Amino acid sequence: MSAGQASSTAVGSLDPVRALQHTLYRSAKADPGRRFHALRDKVYRRDVLWRAWVAVRRNNGAPGVDETTLGQIEDYGVERFLDELAEDLQNERWRPLPARRVLIPKSGSSEKRPLSIPVVGDRVVQAAVKIVLEPIFEAQFLPCSFGFRPKRSTHDALQVLVDESWRGNRWVVETDIANCFSAIGHEKLMAAVEERVSDQGMLKLLRAVLRAGVMAGGSVRREVTGAAQGGPLSPLLCNVYLHRLDRAWDTNAHGVLVRYCDDLVVMCRSRRQAEAALARLVVLLGELGLEVKESKTRIVHLVEGGKGVDFLGFHNRLVRGWTPRSAHLVFLARWPSRKAVQHARDRIRSITARHRMLLPTEHIVGELNLFLRGWAGYFRYGNSALLFGQIRNYALSRLALLLSKRGNRRHAWGWGMAQVLASPDHLGLISLDGIVVPPRPFRTWKG
């Protein structure tokens, strides 16, 4: 069997939506200059809309301005709902409603992040558009981009830091883009999309999504900038826009760029190169109508005993090996950042708060375990054992405090801890021992 026949057989074995994406990706990869002109009809394909619904339902988001919940859609009938949506799209009757604007607190900060929540139908349409467009743009995205991309993760980005520090690139430019999602210019974004898409129907859909506006304080605002953060399509559009930064970056001249959506680090050989890299970033972002966030921008020299860099929830610091076999090595270690640890403590405190004292102990422990599994599941890929022990001890301490209050023993924390420790499995609280996978240069991050 020839390579082409094998490829055709592989595509044929995929489900129809995956086969569509595979075909689009291969076509885009084979011809980097190709502009796709027949895409809109793919958006209202029933299998594509169903896949989009599954993605929206999995995220379990809040209702939009029409207050329609996902449960209400299911009561109405998902098949019926998708049929009506497909008909509206096919007959060009679909018009997005304004998104509902909410402000959510940023982790470890007093600032709040604006989040735009489209109505359920608009989320499904955005997810369907993403299904069709993502493989086309994935074919051109560069290895320096990691955020919100299939088969690429935060740990992939963090592994680059480990590898590059081992190569000697230990001057780090640390920054992120100020108000990235809200500052993206619509016209410049559409120009970036039109480099690969010529289908006027698809472009019309995208413009409608961008111009839908947001509902805040009872009034609708329609801006000329912004890819509203909160919709399924926004991360892809952000990556399409910032691809212009990626492809203009000269690694030889300015160091190794690592971008996770709007969070950036550059690994450089020297202070001079790091300063040039920061200046280059400012220029390139300025050409896109964006700017670095001054409060989060700095140049750090990774040296033993020196400062470290916070990136994607981890604190990355150069350390010397602490065992006899590794004492001669200096390497980049990482563990949960202060913000990440504080977030964990805050969450544990809220789960074991006084007003929840009447809930069954099994319920409280179940919630603690659910949070600890997720938190530790992310941070286990690091040198996190010490902090894991501290976090679990804090959870035990809070559980003991809750038991002492429930037993009307306000000053007998020790009594509560004795109840916890008397249990063979600490009342079912999971252990975080033995799950850590330390990073190693030039190895898969999964260990």
Side-chain angles (χ1 to χ4, degrees):
M1 182 184 292
S2 69
Q5 289 173 323
S7 178
S8 298
T9 302
V11 172
S13 66
L14 298 175
D15 69 78
V17 176
R18 290 290 295 152
L20 168 66
Q21 292 184 304
H22 188 83
T23 300
L24 290 171
Y25 177 85
R26 284 197 309 156
S27 299
K29 197 73 173 177
D31 184 359
R34 177 176 175 179
R35 299 177 70 217
F36 289 77
H37 65 277
L39 297 174
R40 189 177 184 278
D41 61 314
K42 313 293 189 299
V43 173
Y44 53 78
R45 267 178 41 171
R46 283 295 277 105
D47 53 352
V48 171
L49 284 175
W50 179 260
R51 185 65 57 83
W53 162 259
V54 170
V56 169
R57 189 66 184 91
R58 188 187 302 120
N59 285 336
N60 198 29
V65 294
D66 65 353
E67 300 183 353
T68 301
T69 66
L70 293 163
Q72 288 172 327
I73 296 294
E74 290 174 329
D75 292 340
Y76 180 77
V78 175
E79 296 282 351
R80 179 181 172 191
F81 168 73
L82 295 180
D83 285 341
E84 293 172 356
L85 194 58
E87 186 177 347
D88 286 343
L89 286 165
Q90 186 171 3
N91 296 321
E92 300 187 11
R93 292 196 303 263
W94 176 78
R95 298 291 184 274
L97 292 175
R100 181 166 64 90
R101 173 61 56 86
V102 296
L103 298 175
I104 59 173
K106 290 185 178 181
S107 178
S109 171
S110 59
E111 298 179 41
K112 292 193 173 182
R113 184 193 310 276
L115 193 68
S116 301
I117 305 175
V119 300
V120 175
D122 294 350
R123 295 209 295 270
V124 172
V125 172
Q126 287 193 37
V129 171
K130 179 186 175 185
I131 287 171
V132 176
L133 289 184
E134 186 172 58
I136 295 171
F137 289 103
E138 266 297 312
Q140 72 178 24
F141 287 158
L142 298 175
C144 63
S145 169
F146 293 89
F148 305 104
R149 294 183 58 190
K151 300 182 180 180
R152 294 174 78 81
S153 71
T154 53
H155 295 96
D156 292 320
L158 290 160
Q159 184 64 42
V160 177
L161 272 63
V162 174
D163 295 346
E164 292 303 321
S165 69
W166 192 264
R167 289 189 176 105
N169 292 327
R170 295 179 178 176
W171 286 89
V172 184
V173 179
E174 176 188 6
T175 188
D176 67 10
I177 302 171
N179 304 314
C180 180
F181 282 88
S182 60
I184 293 174
H186 289 175
E187 292 307 314
K188 289 183 177 180
L189 173 58
M190 290 306 301
V193 172
E194 288 172 17
E195 291 182 8
R196 298 309 307 264
V197 177
S198 60
D199 183 345
Q200 292 303 311
M202 177 64 86
L203 296 174
K204 184 178 179 181
L205 274 181
L206 288 175
R207 289 192 178 94
V209 170
L210 292 174
R211 293 171 181 169
V214 295
M215 176 77 74
S219 61
V220 178
R221 294 206 312 261
R222 289 185 170 88
E223 308 286 351
V224 296
T225 63
Q229 192 170 4
L233 194 54
S234 301
L236 174 62
L237 294 179
C238 182
N239 276 331
V240 169
Y241 195 64
L242 292 178
H243 175 66
R244 293 186 166 189
L245 165 67
D246 300 342
R247 71 187 182 192
W249 191 259
D250 185 339
T251 299
N252 291 328
H254 298 113
V256 178
L257 174 67
V258 183
R259 182 177 67 79
Y260 193 92
C261 203
D262 56 348
D263 285 341
L264 305 156
V265 296
V266 186
M267 307 292 288
C268 302
R269 296 186 302 273
S270 63
R271 171 178 284 278
R272 182 176 180 181
Q273 188 181 50
E275 291 172 346
L278 179 55
R280 182 61 175 158
L281 273 177
V282 171
V283 169
L284 291 176
L285 290 174
E287 292 173 356
L288 296 174
L290 304 172
E291 58 185 12
V292 299
K293 184 177 288 187
E294 294 292 342
S295 61
K296 292 190 176 181
T297 301
R298 60 179 185 151
I299 295 175
V300 177
H301 188 199
L302 297 175
V303 294
E304 184 182 353
K307 295 180 179 179
V309 172
D310 286 351
F311 187 52
L312 302 178
F314 281 92
H315 181 72
N316 302 266
R317 186 184 290 265
L318 207 69
V319 301
R320 182 170 293 277
W322 43 74
T323 65
R325 292 182 60 184
S326 63
H328 65 292
L329 297 176
V330 176
F331 60 94
L332 192 68
R334 63 171 180 259
W335 50 82
S337 67
R338 288 185 179 180
K339 286 184 179 180
V341 172
Q342 187 59 52
H343 167 69
R345 292 173 66 89
D346 290 345
R347 183 71 183 119
I348 291 168
R349 190 182 303 113
S350 69
I351 292 172
T352 56
R354 178 189 294 270
H355 70 271
R356 312 186 85 229
M357 190 166 54
L358 298 181
L359 290 174
T361 301
E362 296 79 7
H363 182 87
I364 298 294
V365 171
E367 284 195 39
L368 284 172
N369 285 343
L370 185 64
F371 169 73
L372 288 174
R373 281 194 188 96
W375 191 83
Y378 179 78
F379 288 106
R380 67 183 294 238
Y381 298 101
N383 309 86
S384 309
L386 178 61
L387 283 172
F388 275 18
Q390 293 175 0
I391 287 298
R392 187 177 187 275
N393 287 340
Y394 182 71
L396 284 173
S397 175
R398 289 292 304 182
L399 196 56
L401 185 61
L402 191 71
L403 291 177
S404 67
K405 290 176 180 176
R406 184 183 293 168
N408 198 25
R409 300 168 182 262
R410 297 181 59 190
H411 302 293
W413 172 86
W415 177 86
M417 182 57 79
Q419 301 302 305
V420 174
L421 297 180
S423 168
D425 62 351
H426 293 175
L427 299 180
L429 192 70
I430 62 171
S431 172
L432 301 182
D433 296 335
I435 68 170
V436 172
V437 181
R440 295 288 185 268
F442 313 115
R443 294 187 190 177
T444 175
W445 55 266
K446 292 184 178 180

